[in-house]
Amino acid sequence: MQDHTSSSALENAIALQKFGVGQPVRRKEDDTLVRGKGKYTDDFNLPGQAYAWIVRSTHAHGIIRGIDTSAAKTMPGVLGVWTGADLAAANYGPYTCGLPLKSRDGTPLLQTNRTALMTDKVRYVGDPVAFVVAETLAQARDAAEAVVVDIDPLPAVTEPEEAAKPGAPQLYDHIPNNVALDYHYGDTAKVDAAFASAAHVTKLDIVNTRVAVVAMEPRAGLASYDKASERYTIQVPTQGVAGNRMNLARNILKVPNEKVHLLTPNVGGSFSMKNINYPEYLCILHAAKTLNRPVKWTDERSTSFLSDSHGRAQQIHAELALDAEGKFLAVKVSGYGNLGAYITGVAPSPLSLNVGKNLASVYRTPLMTVDIKTVLTNTTLMGAYRGAGRPEANYFMERLIDRAADEMGVNRLTLRKRNFIKPAQMPFEASSGVTYDSGDFQGVFNKALEISDHAGFAKRRKESRKRGKLRGIAVGSYLEVTAPPGVELGKIVFEDEGSVRLITGTLDYGQGHATPFAQVLSAQLGVPFESIKLEQGDSDLVHTGSGTGGSRSITATGMAIVEASRLIIEKGKRAAAHLMEASEADIEFANGRFTIAGTDRSIDIIELARRLREGKMPEGVPASLDVDHTTEPIPSTFPNGCHVAEVEIDPETGIVQIVRYTGVNDFGTIVNPLLVAGQMHGGVAQGIGQALMECVSYDSNGQPITGSFMDYALPRAEDVPVMAVGDHPVPAKSNPLGTKGCGEAGCAGSLATIVNAVVDALSEYGIAHIDMPLTPERVWRAIRDAKAKAA
């Protein structure tokens, strides 16, 4: 305990300004990662480890008549070969979807109950049927090629609308017409009445293309088993160790949680794909237990195109009803979502539920219906992908608005302005059933027009014409309903050497959590920014938490930090009162120091933590400042924004170039603007990829056409323009920091804006709609066909 001068308090205050909430602090981990010093799952090895290789189906659909492993078992270095029959004997649980989704008739989602290795049928190219473990990876791979799989091929179906038709190939006997969920939301009678009374109805058929996730780091796993404790350990990339450990233990391995130790080191991207348990993980866990030695598996890029979950994939019919003044009366969306061959994770939700939650966006749309059938096909399984239904819903709405404006002869900007929800209407109950707590959508919109110099577009279009180029512009608003309510862990430990450990259940797979979390904790407790260490990847430490996903991390862990800090301050006041022989009511806390009110007697929080560790405290005085706190479920937030894109098109080649891009966003309180801008840049880049080039394709037999980067295009640096970024924050009222999620907003804002800008550029040819991806060939053909029609 010290009597302190004002110098220490001043130093603390200066540090808090430098590293406080709102400051563009560089990411803590950048120096490690950019120097190649990160540690990813494949970088880890254990003594005596063996290697696994998965045997996969080369047929999209067929009946398994037999699997001959005899030759493989005799090959050099082979330790074991397992089939689905072997795993079935171990009585593992199936892979299912845990969401309580129901069809329009009230029946629950029909589960596919996937097993790790197939025993009856294969249902897509890449379906796992066996696996080999050997002393070396080369030996395992060679032996896998010796496994003979006898399959009677069956007809395949890859598109959901075709799969739902009578007579289509059936993937499961218990799922008629392959429809696992016939999702419905809304009051059909009221919506039909609104459409009947409408002065104008706009209709669009929209294809939301299937995309591959292609994270920089392929999936991998390293498994071991301790016979003495009967405990599994697996190192694997995830988006949160607590939830993935619970699912793996309870539902698949069928053991208590404490019998599984799940570790996640650095993760090289995920975009939701790595947030489920995959068959390969059970395979290596089974082999590790059977062989009593560690087993490692690492995917390759070519097989990751087959085995990793895909995203998007919808065939949609959308309609918007408007009155004579252009006011929105109702919107309805119907169609099909492609589930792939199996249902796991939250796969049906982005295709159905999340579309409904986000469709109303920033507009006063009083009524809506959503009718989407999620359908099983002979393709790679579907999963959440950055945005998970949010970019899709905003894409449908913004395409409808631009089309309606053109059809009605109303300025596109004016039509949006007439329908924005006003700040005075907050809280606003949207037709989605969700209540928005905050937002200034017109203000965001106006700022985007200003920063983008929308008024100067006509001059820029004229300049493009002189160079023989078409030029188009689009302005699009978006709103996201972030992840549903979930609890979060805020565990804070004061270490002997003066550092502070923050343990929480979200998980950084590229977002840069360590920096903004430390900014929040430093601001709450006044502890030095540099002293804060983040731990997220060990299930023995992270006993609860809802993981990272749905743009929830800063809100969830932020709330956990704020609440845990309050508990620490309460404990600290009791302890400081005892040590300084004062009344607890007289203790104040600010800038990391507990002070007796009206005096200069104070004690630093780090010093107080040390004193408590080293001394025996009387009853009623806390023995440490450490806390282990779990929040109540944390509400969703409603990030929103307005993006403006300008494109140039070469009509002779169909090449589209994004020449200007502006994004103005309302992310509530911004903890670190540098990281927020980076998240928007990344999301827009992924939106550019889907809008202009990405599309997973299959032939009529279910064989993948886009199985490598030779066939599947991704945006390069030259495809991504310099972006102007603006902020118009309106703090959320649902959490103490006032934050709103930002991780997926770039995707939500970019899809419609880029496509609408291309359609605007093509409008002089009479082209009113074109589906993604807007490849040079597709754009060139659209121009050629429009010219031919006009002639």
Side-chain angles (χ1 to χ4, degrees):
M1 193 265 295
Q2 305 169 34
D3 289 333
H4 233 73
T5 65
S6 61
S7 61
S8 180
L10 179 61
E11 289 172 4
N12 273 4
I14 292 172
L16 287 173
Q17 282 187 342
K18 182 179 179 181
F19 298 109
V21 169
Q23 296 302 309
V25 183
R26 283 185 172 274
R27 303 197 324 174
K28 285 189 169 195
E29 68 273 26
D30 279 353
D31 184 67
T32 298
L33 297 181
V34 299
R35 292 176 185 270
K37 295 179 180 179
K39 295 281 282 184
Y40 300 85
T41 298
D42 188 55
D43 292 323
F44 290 84
N45 298 284
L46 292 172
Q49 75 185 24
Y51 296 83
W53 188 263
I54 309 296
V55 180
R56 302 182 184 276
S57 171
T58 57
H59 295 277
H61 199 195
I63 298 171
I64 299 174
R65 297 300 184 190
I67 302 175
D68 185 354
T69 63
S70 57
K73 288 178 178 177
T74 64
M75 293 186 69
V78 172
L79 301 171
V81 183
W82 291 267
T83 66
D86 300 312
L87 296 191
N91 195 34
Y92 297 122
Y95 296 81
T96 62
C97 171
L99 297 177
L101 294 169
K102 292 184 178 181
S103 289
R104 64 174 63 245
D105 62 3
T107 57
L109 168 74
L110 296 174
Q111 300 280 355
T112 54
N113 294 317
R114 183 187 193 185
T115 56
L117 300 175
M118 293 302 105
T119 57
D120 57 344
K121 292 174 70 176
V122 293
R123 295 177 173 88
Y124 75 99
V125 173
D127 215 347
V129 294
F131 74 101
V132 178
V133 174
E135 295 286 357
T136 69
L137 178 58
Q139 289 171 333
R141 190 169 187 162
D142 288 345
E145 293 180 2
V147 175
V148 179
V149 185
D150 183 8
I151 296 174
D152 279 349
L154 293 170
V157 62
T158 61
E159 293 299 332
E161 186 172 6
E162 293 300 313
K165 291 179 179 179
Q170 295 294 292
L171 275 71
Y172 299 89
D173 293 339
H174 70 285
I175 304 180
N177 298 319
N178 299 307
V179 178
L181 177 72
D182 185 4
Y183 180 81
H184 170 75
Y185 173 83
D187 189 321
T188 301
K190 289 183 179 180
V191 168
D192 287 348
F195 271 83
S197 69
H200 182 82
V201 173
T202 288
K203 301 179 180 181
L204 273 177
D205 290 312
I206 301 172
V207 175
N208 181 27
T209 44
R210 173 189 284 253
V211 296
V213 177
V214 291
M216 188 177 293
E217 174 208 23
R219 288 189 298 110
L222 177 58
S224 60
Y225 182 77
D226 181 67
K227 285 189 174 182
S229 62
E230 298 181 325
R231 194 173 196 230
Y232 297 91
T233 298
I234 184 166
Q235 192 146 294
V236 64
T238 68
Q239 292 183 197
V241 294
N244 279 281
R245 190 267 296 265
M246 182 179 69
N247 182 47
L248 181 60
R250 294 183 184 178
N251 300 329
I252 298 173
L253 292 171
K254 296 183 178 179
V255 298
N257 268 7
E258 61 270 17
K259 293 298 182 181
V260 174
H261 186 198
L262 194 150
L263 297 163
T264 295
N266 290 132
V267 179
S270 172
F271 314 111
S272 294
M273 178 268 291
K274 293 174 182 172
N275 204 31
I276 60 174
N277 282 293
Y278 284 85
E280 296 90 350
Y281 307 158
L282 178 58
C283 290
I284 60 175
L285 285 164
H286 178 84
K289 181 179 180 181
T290 304
L291 298 173
N292 195 30
R293 59 188 292 186
V295 178
K296 186 176 188 177
W297 168 82
T298 302
D299 212 351
E300 296 188 344
R301 185 60 65 188
S302 56
T303 46
S304 73
F305 270 97
L306 305 176
S307 65
D308 295 349
S309 64
H310 292 168
R312 312 295 192 230
Q314 293 168 301
Q315 296 166 300
I316 294 297
H317 178 74
E319 299 187 19
L320 179 65
L322 306 92
D323 68 13
E325 302 300 317
K327 300 288 182 63
F328 300 165
L329 301 177
V331 62
K332 57 184 177 182
V333 165
S334 60
Y336 302 87
N338 196 333
L339 286 167
Y342 301 100
I343 307 172
T344 59
V346 298
S349 182
L351 302 173
S352 57
L353 173 69
N354 280 4
V355 171
K357 288 173 68 174
N358 292 270
L359 184 62
S361 186
V362 297
Y363 306 106
R364 299 188 307 275
T365 312
L367 295 166
M368 76 158 70
T369 54
V370 176
D371 294 281
I372 296 177
K373 293 179 179 180
T374 65
V375 186
L376 293 151
T377 64
N378 296 116
T379 60
T380 292
L381 73 157
M382 189 57 55
Y385 173 70
R386 195 170 191 169
R390 302 172 190 88
E392 294 91 316
N394 284 282
Y395 177 56
F396 304 151
M397 192 67 176
E398 292 297 313
R399 282 294 296 123
L400 282 170
I401 294 171
D402 262 25
R403 187 78 192 110
D406 293 345
E407 290 174 350
M408 296 180 73
V410 178
N411 181 279
R412 298 168 191 163
L413 306 184
T414 301
L415 188 59
R416 287 173 167 84
K417 290 176 183 178
R418 287 178 185 171
N419 290 281
F420 280 135
I421 300 163
K422 295 177 170 53
Q425 294 175 298
M426 296 293 176
F428 183 85
E429 186 173 345
S431 53
S432 60
V434 176
T435 300
Y436 306 158
D437 70 313
S438 59
D440 176 14
F441 309 136
Q442 174 88 52
V444 171
F445 181 84
N446 291 341
K447 192 167 185 177
L449 295 180
E450 178 187 348
I451 292 176
S452 66
D453 185 25
H454 188 275
F457 172 71
K459 181 180 178 181
R460 294 191 293 274
R461 173 177 266 180
K462 193 173 182 180
E463 291 170 348
S464 295
R465 280 202 179 115
K466 289 179 180 178
R467 291 182 283 107
K469 300 290 180 70
L470 308 172
R471 194 175 186 114
I473 191 170
V475 179
S477 295
Y478 73 89
L479 179 141
E480 295 186 288
V481 182
T482 62
V487 302
E488 196 46 72
L489 177 66
K491 192 174 179 180
I492 299 173
V493 179
F494 291 81
E495 302 288 12
D496 292 347
E497 80 284 4
S499 65
V500 179
R501 263 198 309 163
L502 169 63
I503 301 165
T504 188
T506 54
L507 195 137
D508 182 350
Y509 49 91
Q511 291 86 350
H513 287 174
T515 303
F517 291 178
Q519 287 176 263
V520 174
L521 183 54
S522 179
Q524 293 295 312
L525 294 181
V527 295
F529 173 84
E530 298 90 345
S531 71
I532 299 169
K533 300 175 182 178
L534 176 64
E535 292 196 27
Q536 300 171 298
D538 186 337
S539 67
D540 281 358
L541 298 174
V542 182
H543 53 74
T544 190
S546 300
T548 290
S551 300
R552 70 181 298 274
S553 292
I554 190 60
T555 299
T557 291
M559 179 177 279
I561 291 171
V562 170
E563 292 182 356
S565 296
R566 288 173 183 165
L567 296 176
I568 289 171
I569 292 168
E570 289 175 10
K571 294 175 73 174
K573 285 183 176 180
R574 294 201 303 272
H578 168 74
L579 291 175
M580 293 192 290
E581 299 178 340
S583 168
E584 183 179 339
D586 291 335
I587 302 298
E588 297 176 342
F589 179 79
N591 295 329
R593 303 193 68 80
F594 294 93
T595 304
I596 301 175
T599 76
D600 61 357
R601 296 184 61 208
S602 65
I603 185 169
D604 179 83
I605 190 170
I606 299 295
E607 172 65 13
L608 177 59
R610 184 188 68 79
R611 292 282 299 273
L612 294 180
R613 277 196 309 273
E614 294 177 353
K616 187 175 182 181
M617 296 296 117
E619 187 176 347
V621 177
S624 80
L625 294 183
D626 301 349
V627 298
D628 186 340
H629 173 69
T630 301
T631 68
E632 294 297 318
I634 298 163
S636 299
T637 62
F638 307 100
N640 60 89
C642 181
H643 289 198
V644 184
E646 287 186 42
V647 300
E648 275 193 343
I649 301 174
D650 183 343
E652 299 301 316
T653 63
I655 293 174
V656 176
Q657 183 181 7
I658 303 168
V659 291
R660 291 169 70 99
Y661 198 96
T662 302
V664 174
N665 307 283
D666 168 16
F667 296 138
T669 300
I670 295 176
V671 175
N672 188 314
L674 186 67
L675 270 65
V676 165
Q679 286 293 303
M680 199 204 83
H681 291 163
V684 170
Q686 284 182 275
I688 290 170
Q690 183 178 1
L692 298 187
M693 58 196 75
E694 294 186 56
C695 183
V696 174
S697 302
Y698 294 87
D699 70 13
S700 59
N701 296 315
Q703 292 292 329
I705 298 171
T706 46
S708 74
F709 289 140
M710 294 292 291
D711 310 298
Y712 189 86
L714 287 175
R716 301 184 179 190
E718 65 182 5
D719 300 309
V720 181
V722 174
M723 300 179 205
V725 180
D727 297 305
H728 189 85
V730 180
K733 297 179 181 179
S734 56
N735 66 83
L737 292 176
T739 56
K740 302 175 182 179
C742 71
E744 296 158 306
C747 278
S750 59
L751 280 184
T753 310
I754 293 167
V755 173
N756 279 341
V758 171
V759 173
D760 180 59
L762 297 175
S763 63
E764 63 182 74
Y765 294 106
I767 297 169
H769 180 69
I770 184 170
D771 276 315
M772 302 181 291
L774 308 179
T775 61
E777 180 186 3
R778 183 169 289 188
V779 173
W780 176 82
R781 287 185 183 277
I783 294 172
R784 184 197 63 176
D785 293 347
K787 286 181 175 179
K789 187 177 180 180

